[in-house]
Amino acid sequence: MSGTSEGPTPAADLDRSAVTDSDHTTYHRVFAAAPLAMAVVNRAGLVVSANAAFGELLGIAADTLPGRVAADLVALASDARSWHAYREVLRGRQARLRCTRRLKHPEGHSVWGQVTVAPLTGEEPGVLLSVADISARRELQARLRHLQMHDPVTRLPNRTLFFERLTAALEAESYEQSGTGRVGLCYLDLDGFKAVNDTLGHRVGDRLLAAVAERLTRIADEAGYARAATPLVARLGGDEFALLVEDSTGTEQLADLAESALKALEDPFDLAGQRLSLTASIGVVERHAAGTTATGLMQAADTTLYWAKADGKARWTLFDPERNAHRMTRQALSSTLRPAIERGEFALEYQPLVGMEDGRLSGVEALIRWNHPQFGTLTPNRFIGLAEEDGSIVQLGRWALNTACRQARRWQLDRPGEPPIFVSVNVAVRQVWDSDLVADVAAVLAETGLAPHLLQLELTESAVMGSAGRPLQALQALSDMGVRIAIDDFGTGYSNLAYLSRLPVSTLKLDGSFVRGFQYEGDQKAIAPNPADEVVVEAMIQLAHRLGITVTAECVETSAQAARLRRIGCDTGQGWLYSRPVPPDRISELLGEQTYAVGKP
């Protein structure tokens, strides 16, 4: 029998249809029962279906969710970046979106959810939106962060959290839209806290730190009552605390806060039977946030705290730009001293030493100058102290000694028929202790060919008087060698004059403070003479002469001073009346004159 009627459906097709229907039913059951909150969202962004877990997470019945805007349910439009990525996934232009959202539950609490949006394939393409509840994980992370960001002893924010807050306060977006645009900081250090730890132990020390933290927190809270924000109190480490004021209103606000902190610490602390009193030093900095960095602000605060300590402790000190500039210059000079010696940035100028009786140039004092590439020509008072502190004075002193002796020998060779002049070189006491000065002098004299009696070494009165041991031995050895020894700035050290007889000194240089009183009528800027000064100077000159010591007067500026000094027996004069310190070639010109031209520069 033939025909065209359709035969029975093939077995394979029946099996495939059954499997598809079975799979669809299985997937739907899995979707509905899954513990993970899931919803199917169509291309328009509307919920097609949602499982029970999704409704439970949001606190909304699952059967009411179809037709709702999915982005509104999980706050995907709360930031532009996530909103754009979500729309790209809906359009099939992006494979996946994952972000974290804080969702409000109808019962009042918040739920942290990790939202994932991934495309689905099928006859009606859309996306699968799933939300994993990560609230417990976030809470654990928050606890760990709190432990990481807070000091276990005082429970205050620690250094890490403090710098995080400070950095945020200095970011442009934090102050450009609102606020004062200023920031202030009180940097506090407890005075003498180490003694508490050393004598009473770290347990008592920790209790004291916790008690200090409580008082500082209280005054910060009080300061915040009348203002928009409460200052942040943090422990930066050890016995150092900081009070950060965001949107400060000026230095007056910070000064009030610092004063309150000092007063809060005035009352003694009662700790387990121990009654302790302490003070604090505070560095205060307040400035515009714009252009300020966290590092720069902390450096200024640290410097100001150092000033408060140096000024006597138990006080607050406000940052001073001029004082800081001087400090920064000092640091800059200190750090470049040694390289400057190697680069040849130093030079010597020479100031004449003139005989009072004959007016002839008998010697010169070598005065060192630093030709600094940034700060210009610097006189010794700007850098000698630094050189003594870091030990570079030994290297610098050797250079000055060598240079001065070579120049003195050159003057002698240039004018062989005239009496040679001596050169006087300043020596720091550290050169005697930290180097073999006797060997250095012997080597320079041998190398240059300068006779020992044409070299004079000047040491300050405080360095020479009372010398014993190695310094005295070095001075005696130099004197035995024939080198002159002079005491500089004599008369300011309150020394025992009888001690001079025990020292190998050949010259005393009277300090200029004595000479300034020797002014008489007839000078344009004359002042009445001080009889006491004259008596003292004359007595010192007579004593020196009896001991076989010559006397040089420093800072001679007028002819009246020179006349009076000559009448009472002073041997040599030095000062602007004769000449300012000058380069070596000017000394060569002066050597050609029979007598010194008084007042000629």
Side-chain angles (χ1 to χ4, degrees), residues 334-417:
S334 179
S335 63
T336 56
L337 249 174
R338 290 181 185 274
I341 300 172
E342 298 171 359
R343 288 193 299 264
E345 293 179 5
F346 290 90
L348 291 182
E349 290 185 345
Y350 300 87
Q351 188 169 31
L353 299 169
V354 179
M356 285 288 191
E357 287 296 330
D358 56 12
R360 295 185 65 88
L361 178 64
S362 58
V364 292
E365 179 181 355
L367 299 169
I368 194 166
R369 303 287 185 262
W370 185 355
N371 297 317
H372 197 282
Q374 180 180 356
F375 303 114
T377 302
L378 303 179
T379 53
N381 63 310
R382 294 289 303 277
F383 57 85
I384 288 298
L386 297 176
E388 290 178 340
E389 288 177 11
D390 69 6
S392 59
I393 189 66
V394 174
Q395 182 183 1
L396 186 59
R398 285 197 185 107
W399 173 86
L401 177 66
N402 190 294
T403 303
C405 289
R406 286 183 182 279
Q407 182 61 60
R409 179 60 172 160
R410 189 173 300 116
W411 286 322
Q412 183 182 12
L413 294 175
D414 289 345
R415 296 183 177 275

Side-chain angles (χ1 to χ4, degrees), residues 21-22 25 85 121 124 161 173 201 239 356 404 464 525 540 577:
D21 290 342
S22 175
T25 301
T121 58
E124 296 182 4
L161 180 54
E173 57 266 25
D239 59 345
M356 285 288 191
V464 174
K525 297 181 181 180
M540 286 192 292
L577 172 65

Side-chain angles (χ1 to χ4, degrees), residues 45-292:
L46 302 177
V47 175
V48 175
S49 61
N51 65 3
F54 194 87
E56 183 179 349
L57 180 70
L58 299 180
I60 305 173
D63 56 2
T64 67
L65 290 175
R68 299 278 295 271
V69 177
D72 293 344
L73 296 173
V74 292
L76 286 177
S78 61
D79 73 85
R81 184 175 181 181
S82 296
W83 174 239
H84 174 74
Y86 171 63
R87 289 184 296 172
E88 292 294 290
V89 176
L90 287 179
R91 295 167 183 167
R93 298 175 183 172
Q94 184 170 318
R96 179 183 295 267
L97 164 67
R98 176 171 290 174
C99 60
T100 300
R101 285 292 179 272
R102 186 180 184 181
L103 309 175
K104 283 287 187 180
H105 196 277
E107 295 181 0
H109 64 274
S110 297
V111 177
W112 284 96
Q114 187 175 71
V115 180
T116 303
V117 182
L120 293 172
T121 58
E123 295 180 359
E124 296 182 4
V127 298
L128 178 66
L129 186 153
S130 63
V131 184
D133 187 352
I134 60 170
S135 300
R137 187 199 313 170
R138 292 281 299 200
E139 183 179 353
L140 177 60
Q141 290 174 343
R143 289 178 182 174
L144 292 175
R145 173 176 168 77
H146 187 274
L147 291 174
Q148 293 172 347
M149 297 294 185
H150 287 75
D151 170 49
V153 174
T154 62
R155 299 185 179 181
L156 291 177
N158 61 13
R159 191 179 191 89
T160 302
L161 180 54
F162 169 79
F163 272 98
E164 186 177 286
R165 282 281 298 273
L166 175 58
T167 302
L170 296 175
E171 291 178 352
E173 57 266 25
S174 69
Y175 59 79
E176 286 183 345
Q177 301 300 325
S178 61
T180 63
R182 303 184 69 86
V183 63
L185 177 63
C186 292
Y187 189 20
L188 181 148
D189 179 89
L190 302 180
D191 300 326
F193 176 75
K194 184 177 182 299
V196 176
N197 273 342
D198 292 344
T199 57
L200 302 178
H202 288 274
R203 180 174 297 181
V204 174
D206 287 349
R207 289 179 181 177
L208 179 59
L209 291 173
V212 169
E214 290 179 4
R215 294 191 186 183
L216 294 179
T217 301
R218 186 179 71 248
I219 66 111
D221 290 341
E222 293 171 355
Y225 287 155
R227 303 188 183 276
T230 300
L232 172 72
V233 183
R235 182 189 177 198
L236 302 187
D239 59 345
E240 296 177 356
F241 296 83
L243 291 90
L244 174 65
V245 180
E246 302 172 59
D247 290 328
S248 64
T249 57
T251 56
E252 184 177 351
Q253 179 190 3
L254 270 294
D256 290 344
L257 185 61
E259 192 66 37
S260 298
L262 291 179
K263 289 182 179 179
L265 301 177
E266 284 180 354
D267 294 335
F269 293 83
D270 292 317
L271 304 173
Q274 296 285 346
R275 189 173 176 83
L276 302 175
S277 297
L278 58 77
T279 59
S281 300
I282 304 177
V284 178
V285 182
E286 200 278 342
R287 59 180 54 171
H288 286 288
T292 298

Side-chain angles (χ1 to χ4, degrees), residues 25-48:
T25 301
T26 300
Y27 293 152
H28 182 75
R29 289 176 178 175
V30 170
F31 175 79
L36 178 64
M38 293 184 290
V40 176
V41 181
N42 62 21
R43 293 293 190 189
L46 302 177
V47 175
V48 175

